[in-house]
Amino acid sequence: MKQILIAAVILFAFFLSADLHCQQPANHQLIEELLEEQMDAYIPDMDPSVIYDDLLYYTMHPLNINTAGAAELAGLHFIDELRIYNLLDYRRARGYFVSVYELLYVDGFTAEDLRKLMPFITVEEPVTAFALSPSSILRQGNHQVFLRLQQVLQKQRGYLPVSDSALARNPNSRYLGSPLKIYNRYQFNHGRRIQAGFVAEKDQGEEFFRGSNPRGFDYHTVHLQVNDAGKFKTIALGDFQAGFGQGLVLWSGLAFGKSASTLNIRKSARGIQKYSSTDENRFFRGAGATYRLTRSTETSFFLSRKKVDAAVSAAGPDGKVLEVSSLQATGLHATPSQIAGRKSLGETVMGGNINYNHDLFRVGATVAALRYDAVLNPPVRIHNQFEFRGSRNLNGGADYQFAVGRVRFFGEGAFSRNGGTALLTGGMANLSPKMSVSALYRNYARNYHALFSDGFRENTRTSNEKGFYLGTVMHLAPRWKLSAYIDFFSFPWMRHNAWAPSSGSEYFIQVDFNYSAILNMYASFRHKDKPLNSPAGANNIRVLYDAGTSRLRYHTSCFVSPVVELRNRLELSRYSREDISPERGILLYQDILYKPRIVPFSLAFRFAGFRTDSYNARFYAYENDVLYAFSIPAYYDKGYRTYLLGQYSAGNAVDIWIKYGLTKLPGRESMGSGLNEIAGDARSELKAQVRVRF
């Protein structure tokens, strides 16, 4: 421990004394940086490919801030709603921007914000949209094809040889397919007017062109989206996502929770959009469209029909599924039990939205109806008595936003078929050019059922929660920024791991120092108190124990030459619970990013050392990865992790990525668990991807 701290001090001292040279980050590195900021509060199975899609597009076709509306500006993802409307208000009052540097006169925008925005925006005079023809679509469109291969190099237990008799006794003791993971993607874009493509994926352990997948890939998604076709704002066919209001009724796409972007608490609904992710559950399949009724009013409608994974609990004599006990969200189909539930439940969803937009306010209404082909009936447990049971559900809601002076209010109220309700209301304000605040109150009834909702929350679902959030951003001085929030929450009914009503809190503070475009750093502290069940006592009686997690982080990033960027992080964690001694952890990593100016080649390297007393004190750290792949591994126990990522571009047509990662826990006899268990103290993975553009 002492040696690690000494190394950290020496390393940071070296950075501060280094000969610094100005260098703007490459666009792809900037996108990685922005993704890490948004994914600071880790959410399992998050797939932010929609962010990659939008930002990569804007690097090639910068967004004209003289014509962009709120929804388009929200596509930049790292600008909170308050700054978006400050920009629109400024443009309305002053006219078109003459230069992107004029953004510095808009409340809430800093030089650091402008640095991040520069690759994605432009200032141009408005132009009239041109008509499309089949020949122009084919001639001017852009095509991209991806192929990615990925595999753990050590032999996992699920792939070890086993006798036929042992396999017959336990068919789920081995994976049916190979350990190779395969990803294939095709994307066509004609500007923002037409987008089409498909994604196909085979997960590790799944069969490929045999057995349960005789046609190859286990998962496929296909989409076509046409924008600005007459009065149709959007037409989506195939797979799509839908999000309206504040997500209390319907939000099937990406949604972030609490993060260092403390003002970014209001969802910016984008309506109906194409779907091209690898999450095999949170999407719709069918058709949807948004139609402009008038200049200020638009309506959206959609119909979806698909099969979803479920655990079958009852079937008729003809094999028809009558009842399922749960929905299965892993998307894995590598063992007989996983395959048995694949696409076993038919799901039909239809709904729509209508909204009216005025310069000063906006109102909207959303409705969504769900029907399953069988009854969803989870086994009754002490904590889940108010969860959804049945085959039909209906949700409706109304959302609003309006401005009073420098304060912008927003919110949504919703109901479900059984009478459960949900309410969210909040506001954001510029109290001065140097200080902004945000506040949000939510009240989700324990019996509110909305299976496609994703409201602002602490709980795992948009139900059984009350809470109040308060956040702020203060520009203390040139180059200095303070971000903070505090969130109080309570759960009126039991949760999975807390068998009594409970309450808790979370607070966060971060201080950023941006010396220049080549050197910035921040220090942050986050603490959360959230009661949990005690271990079972006599007669399985449990009480709630107070449990708290604290994290202290110091992070630096600087360019020590025009082609080399160094990033460092030192992070400490502490987990406490009434019945145990505090458990602590430390993480220290060094990143080296190298991108020569002449050779079309780049490298990203990390070495991380870590030590934790338990899994409770674990760390998560975002990693650079190949395009459209995302890695946020958990660091726990005692050991180190390292990876090397290389990218080479052969002209403008071919890009190649290769990544090797290694995690080593010295002294361990095995790593992982279940069928993923590896004998030994090391786990390594190789990933290769190629992209062809034409």
Side-chain angles (χ1 to χ4, degrees):
M1 180 75 72
K2 183 177 179 180
Q3 289 85 348
I4 293 178
L5 290 175
I6 292 173
V9 171
I10 295 173
L11 205 53
F12 292 148
F14 167 75
F15 293 154
L16 294 178
S17 63
D19 181 20
L20 303 178
H21 301 274
C22 184
Q23 166 77 359
Q24 288 287 347
N27 290 341
H28 73 282
Q29 293 178 0
L30 180 57
I31 294 175
E32 294 274 2
E33 175 188 338
L34 297 171
L35 276 173
E36 182 172 7
E37 290 178 4
Q38 294 296 319
M39 300 173 71
D40 180 60
Y42 175 63
I43 301 174
D45 302 322
M46 178 188 289
D47 183 358
S49 56
V50 63
I51 298 181
Y52 253 123
D53 277 338
D54 288 339
L55 295 184
L56 283 173
Y57 174 82
Y58 287 135
T59 60
M60 296 181 290
H61 309 279
L63 181 64
N64 185 3
I65 60 174
N66 276 335
T67 58
E72 292 173 295
L73 290 167
L76 295 171
H77 295 285
F78 56 93
I79 305 179
D80 58 73
E81 200 76 11
L82 190 59
R83 285 183 290 176
I84 288 177
Y85 282 98
N86 288 344
L87 186 155
L88 296 177
D89 291 342
Y90 181 94
R91 192 175 73 193
R92 232 178 339 257
R94 306 289 182 90
Y96 294 131
F97 289 89
V98 177
S99 164
V100 293
Y101 293 97
E102 196 176 345
L103 278 176
L104 295 175
Y105 293 95
V106 179
D107 283 350
F109 284 88
T110 65
E112 176 65 10
D113 296 327
L114 185 59
R115 178 187 73 85
K116 294 176 180 178
L117 282 168
M118 288 287 280
F120 310 113
I121 62 172
T122 187
V123 169
E124 297 175 356
E125 289 292 326
V127 295
T128 303
F130 55 86
L132 295 178
S133 66
S135 60
S136 68
I137 293 173
L138 294 175
R139 185 175 63 256
Q140 301 170 5
N142 298 313
H143 305 260
Q144 297 185 75
V145 178
F146 292 81
L147 177 63
R148 182 196 309 153
L149 304 177
Q150 177 180 346
Q151 184 170 324
V152 175
L153 300 183
Q154 288 75 21
K155 186 73 76 173
Q156 296 168 292
R157 188 157 69 95
Y159 305 103
L160 295 175
V162 63
S163 66
D164 292 341
S165 59
L167 189 60
R169 288 193 301 270
N170 186 4
N172 295 303
S173 64
R174 291 296 182 270
Y175 290 130
L176 297 174
S178 74
L180 184 65
K181 183 173 183 176
I182 307 174
Y183 171 91
N184 185 217
R185 177 188 181 104
Y186 166 74
Q187 185 69 45
F188 170 81
N189 291 84
H190 186 274
R192 298 294 279 188
R193 300 287 297 277
I194 298 178
Q195 302 170 67
F198 71 82
V199 173
E201 183 184 53
K202 169 204 174 297
D203 286 314
Q204 295 171 347
E206 294 178 341
E207 295 177 292
F208 192 57
F209 283 108
R210 65 184 179 87
S212 59
N213 293 310
R215 298 181 181 179
F217 293 96
D218 176 77
Y219 167 73
H220 308 78
T221 178
V222 180
H223 67 268
L224 169 65
Q225 179 173 322
V226 180
N227 299 321
D228 299 320
K231 284 201 166 186
F232 281 95
K233 179 181 177 180
T234 303
I235 300 173
L237 301 175
D239 294 342
F240 61 93
Q241 53 193 6
F244 302 102
Q246 292 303 299
L248 299 191
V249 173
L250 198 61
W251 197 277
S252 64
L254 178 67
F256 291 106
K258 292 170 282 189
S259 73
S261 301
T262 56
L263 299 180
N264 204 9
I265 58 173
R266 180 190 179 277
K267 284 184 168 60
S268 183
R270 304 181 69 189
I272 293 173
Q273 297 287 318
K274 68 177 180 67
Y275 184 81
S276 58
S277 177
T278 54
D279 186 319
E280 301 184 20
N281 299 280
R282 293 188 65 84
F283 68 93
F284 299 117
R285 177 164 289 170
T290 298
Y291 184 79
R292 299 184 181 96
L293 297 173
T294 67
R295 182 179 178 182
S296 302
T297 307
E298 60 185 35
T299 181
S300 301
F301 43 89
F302 70 91
L303 175 64
S304 169
R305 172 69 181 176
K306 71 178 195 292
K307 296 277 191 176
V308 298
D309 295 353
V312 178
S313 54
D318 58 353
K320 181 181 179 181
V321 176
L322 302 178
E323 182 183 277
V324 298
S325 59
S326 65
L327 303 178
Q328 299 176 340
T330 65
L332 298 176
H333 308 111
T335 64
S337 62
Q338 292 171 344
I339 293 172
R342 182 172 64 173
K343 298 181 180 179
S344 57
L345 179 64
E347 173 193 270
T348 303
V349 185
M350 63 185 302
N353 170 271
I354 186 168
N355 62 76
Y356 175 78
N357 289 275
H358 188 272
D359 288 345
L360 300 179
F361 67 91
R362 177 191 183 279
V363 292
T366 306
V367 63
L370 164 70
R371 182 177 66 82
Y372 288 130
D373 291 352
V375 175
L376 174 59
N377 188 23
V380 178
R381 300 285 186 263
I382 190 170
H383 63 276
N384 72 353
Q385 298 178 45
F386 294 94
E387 289 186 7
F388 174 76
R389 289 176 171 82
S391 60
R392 295 174 182 270
N393 192 33
L394 176 68
N395 293 103
D399 63 276
Y400 68 88
Q401 70 177 56
F402 63 92
V404 178
R406 300 173 68 90
V407 184
R408 186 167 295 275
F409 297 93
F410 63 91
E412 184 175 15
F415 67 89
S416 55
R417 185 184 183 190
N418 67 332
T421 59
L423 172 68
L424 180 153
T425 186
M428 300 178 290
N430 292 312
L431 300 184
S432 74
K434 295 184 179 297
M435 182 177 181
S436 302
V437 297
S438 61
L440 183 147
Y441 170 78
R442 71 267 193 193
N443 188 341
Y444 310 143
R446 61 188 181 181
N447 64 335
Y448 178 65
H449 300 152
L451 277 70
F452 295 100
S453 65
D454 201 348
F456 185 96
R457 68 190 192 279
E458 170 66 27
N459 209 354
T460 54
R461 294 189 180 126
T462 310
S463 64
N464 187 35
E465 180 175 340
K466 296 180 180 180
F468 179 75
Y469 172 100
L470 183 64
T472 186
V473 171
M474 292 183 283
H475 298 279
L476 305 173
R479 302 176 182 172
W480 290 90
K481 181 179 76 171
L482 183 146
S483 305
Y485 71 73
I486 186 166
D487 187 38
F488 300 99
F489 46 83
S490 64
F491 310 105
W493 187 248
M494 307 174 191
R495 295 177 291 124
H496 172 71
N497 53 1
W499 292 357
S502 58
S503 61
S505 63
E506 180 179 1
Y507 55 88
F508 168 85
I509 184 168
Q510 177 170 308
V511 177
D512 291 80
F513 175 64
N514 295 299
Y515 179 77
S516 66
I518 61 172
L519 173 63
N520 59 77
M521 62 186 71
Y522 71 83
S524 67
F525 178 75
R526 187 191 306 267
H527 178 80
K528 180 186 290 188
D529 288 309
K530 194 173 181 180
L532 298 173
N533 281 334
S534 67
N539 299 318
N540 200 32
I541 294 177
R542 298 175 185 264
V543 297
L544 291 187
Y545 280 163
D546 290 330
T549 304
S550 301
R551 301 190 186 281
L552 177 65
R553 175 186 297 176
Y554 177 58
H555 183 96
T556 66
S557 172
C558 83
F559 283 82
V560 296
S561 81
V563 298
V564 177
E565 181 186 3
L566 300 180
R567 297 177 185 171
N568 296 87
R569 178 172 299 176
L570 173 64
E571 188 165 355
L572 306 175
S573 68
R574 182 179 187 273
Y575 176 82
S576 60
R577 204 174 69 207
E578 289 182 40
D579 61 324
I580 60 174
S581 299
E583 299 168 345
R584 294 178 171 85
I586 181 171
L587 166 70
L588 175 67
Y589 74 61
Q590 166 73 68
D591 283 356
I592 303 175
L593 286 78
Y594 172 69
K595 183 173 177 57
R597 288 179 169 177
I598 300 176
V599 182
F601 176 74
S602 64
L603 285 174
F605 169 79
R606 169 175 295 175
F607 184 87
F610 55 90
R611 179 176 180 175
T612 67
D613 294 334
S614 71
Y615 184 74
N616 294 323
R618 66 192 177 277
F619 301 94
Y620 290 103
Y622 182 89
E623 292 186 352
N624 295 88
D625 215 320
V626 307
L627 193 59
Y628 290 112
F630 309 97
S631 179
I632 312 178
Y635 295 76
Y636 63 95
D637 209 321
K638 180 182 178 181
Y640 64 87
R641 174 166 173 79
T642 184
Y643 72 81
L644 179 65
L645 169 67
Q647 178 188 358
Y648 176 76
S649 298
N652 295 320
V654 179
D655 298 284
I656 300 171
W657 293 264
I658 297 178
K659 180 181 179 181
Y660 172 79
L662 169 68
T663 302
K664 190 171 180 64
L665 306 177
R668 286 281 296 266
E669 295 182 357
S670 65
M671 294 181 64
S673 60
L675 298 186
N676 293 324
E677 183 180 7
I678 296 171
D681 62 359
R683 181 185 187 276
S684 56
E685 185 177 58
L686 186 63
K687 188 182 299 183
Q689 176 170 285
V690 61
R691 174 177 67 174
V692 179
R693 292 180 284 184
F694 55 96

